[in-house]
Each structure stands twice: as C-alpha cells, then as structure tokens.
Amino acid sequence: MRHSRAFWRLLRMLGHIAKGLWIVALRFPALPADQQHAHVQAWSVQLLACAGISLRIVGQPPVSGPVMLVANHISWLDIPVMHAARHCRFVSKSDVQGWPIIGTMATAAGTLYIERSSRRDALRMVKSMQESLERGEVLAVFPEGTTGDGRAMLPFHANLIQAAVAAQAPVQPVGLRFVDSATGATSFAPSYIGDETLVGSIWRTLSAPAIEAVVHYGEIQQAQGRDRRAWTQHLHDTVDGLRRTG
C-alpha cells in the first residue's frame, strides 16, 4: 500500500515537474516578473498536492517588500512550501543549484546562491541582498545554514541578517513545520539531514500518509538599534516559538 501510494505520487510529481521545466524553458523569458512569480507560486501549490501535502498558513504573509523572511530549515520541501504560501526570492547554499531538477526550478524562481565556506562570497551575497531589499523585493533566508531534524533548531548565522540592517529593511520571522494530517503530530518524513540522500528523503515523504505543511508568519519587526547578533538571537527565539505553535 505504502509503495503503491509513493509510486503514484511520484508519477504525478514527475509529470508536474516536466510541465514546470517546459514553462521555464519556453514561457518564462517572455513573461514580466509578476507573472513569473504567479507561475512559481501556482506551480509550488500543485507540486505539494502531487506529493500528498496540504498547506496551512498561520498569520499574515507580507503583502509587499522590502522584507526579509527568516525561517527554520527542515527539508528539501521548504522552498516550494514557502513559495506556495507567498512567492519570495530565496538565498540558498550553492549545493542546491546542483540538485537535479530542484536546482533548475530554484534558479528559475530567482534564487541567490551563496558559497557559505567562502568569506568573500558571503560579503558579496550580503551586498546583493542589500540591493535586492533596496529594490523592494521579498527575500527569504534559512540562517541555520543547513537543514535540522525538526526537533531542535540549530544556531542562526548573523551574517545574512546584516543585509537587512544595512538596507534598514524589516524582517519577518517564519516557523515551518510538517504534521501528520490524521493525528496532528509532527511528521519527520520530509526531513533531510546528515548522510541522508535526497532521493531517500523524497521517497520517504511520498510513502508517508498525508502531510500538512504549516507556515507560521510572525510579526514584522525592525532592528530598533540592535546589532545583527542581538537581532539574530531574538529572531532565532521567535522562529523557534512559531514552529512549535503553528
């Protein structure tokens, strides 16, 4: 039963991904930015449905930018989940760019890539993020720097928050959680940590009973004189609370 369910979901996902790649290759170049964003959001909503995942939004997504969304990081699904809730431009580790299919779609959605082991590249990215915020865009970052197990959050890196400080832009904390739709208990099926393979995580997710992705938006906040480290710690604590109460 479990494997047949996963196989059927996989077929639906592959068909949907093929459609998305066709749109990116043939239609995206001729579309204005707002229509591209609408396509990405609609495509992400349908991708979740193909995988047996429903979406629940708690709180109020940002209506417009500039704003930086700061979220915890659990799974390869986090990007499409946040796109489904509200289109945003992601800042992601450079590894994602090389992921099969997911990297192609992430790039088409305007993702900015950072080589986290390079201080020079981090400085370049902070500057690019600052310019993006000054243009009025909605950015999204995972300050943990990598996926956690969904049980406890990793510390936040403060360097990416510097872009919001420099641009004098607001930040909105976001808590992500996956729950079993039947029981309401936290589902760890979509987790992607340690030595796990992406394929293994995807198959486990597709094999699981129906899952609900919860995106809990907190209140938008300003630095209010705090330096990036103090603000980052406050954001970490706020996101930790949001992911538990969503």
Side-chain angles (χ1 to χ4, degrees):
M1 174 64 179
R2 220 163 36 98
H3 292 310
S4 61
R5 175 172 57 209
F7 184 70
W8 172 241
R9 288 175 176 172
L10 179 61
L11 288 179
R12 293 178 63 198
M13 276 185 62
L14 290 175
H16 184 61
I17 289 169
K19 178 183 176 182
L21 293 173
W22 177 84
I23 292 173
V24 165
L26 299 181
R27 297 190 60 188
F28 255 45
L31 294 175
D34 59 337
Q35 291 187 32
Q36 289 184 0
H37 298 169
H39 272 292
V40 170
Q41 184 170 13
W43 184 88
S44 298
V45 170
Q46 188 57 42
L47 178 72
L48 297 182
C50 291
I53 298 170
S54 59
L55 177 68
R56 177 160 59 95
I57 299 173
V58 181
Q60 178 61 53
V63 176
S64 61
V67 63
M68 179 188 292
L69 304 178
V70 171
N72 58 308
H73 201 8
I74 307 169
S75 170
W76 54 276
L77 273 170
D78 294 345
I79 289 178
V81 163
M82 289 188 67
H83 272 317
R86 203 282 182 208
H87 179 271
C88 46
R89 191 175 191 189
F90 274 93
V91 178
S92 185
K93 60 184 181 180
S94 56
D95 303 24
V96 173
Q97 191 172 14
W99 287 359
I101 300 174
I102 292 175
T104 301
M105 302 305 294
T107 300
T111 299
L112 300 172
Y113 296 106
I114 179 173
E115 179 56 61
R116 294 189 183 273
S117 61
S118 168
R119 177 173 174 78
R120 178 178 296 179
D121 197 55
L123 293 173
R124 174 195 64 81
M125 179 54 63
V126 168
K127 181 63 175 175
S128 296
M129 292 169 61
Q130 178 184 342
E131 293 170 350
S132 179
L133 289 168
E134 289 171 347
R135 289 193 299 269
E137 296 183 350
V138 179
L139 291 182
V141 299
F142 299 119
E144 290 170 285
T146 187
T147 50
D149 63 6
R151 294 173 172 84
M153 282 174 50
L154 301 172
F156 276 6
H157 297 288
N159 57 339
L160 296 181
I161 308 303
Q162 178 60 36
V165 175
Q168 298 183 355
V171 171
Q172 185 167 17
V174 182
L176 301 180
R177 185 182 176 213
F178 294 97
V179 300
D180 185 300
S181 296
T183 66
T186 298
S187 172
F188 299 104
S191 66
Y192 177 42
I193 59 172
D195 296 329
E196 286 185 312
T197 64
L198 179 60
V199 171
S201 177
I202 291 173
W203 185 255
R204 184 176 61 243
T205 303
L206 298 181
S207 301
I211 294 172
E212 181 181 61
V214 182
V215 184
H216 191 173
Y217 291 93
E219 295 296 323
I220 292 177
Q221 54 182 265
Q222 299 278 353
Q224 296 179 318
R226 291 171 290 193
D227 63 26
R228 67 178 186 179
R229 295 189 184 280
W231 196 10
T232 298
Q233 185 57 54
H234 180 263
L235 288 166
H236 178 280
D237 296 343
T238 304
V239 170
D240 196 19
L242 291 171
R243 74 183 183 93
R244 295 173 186 272
T245 58

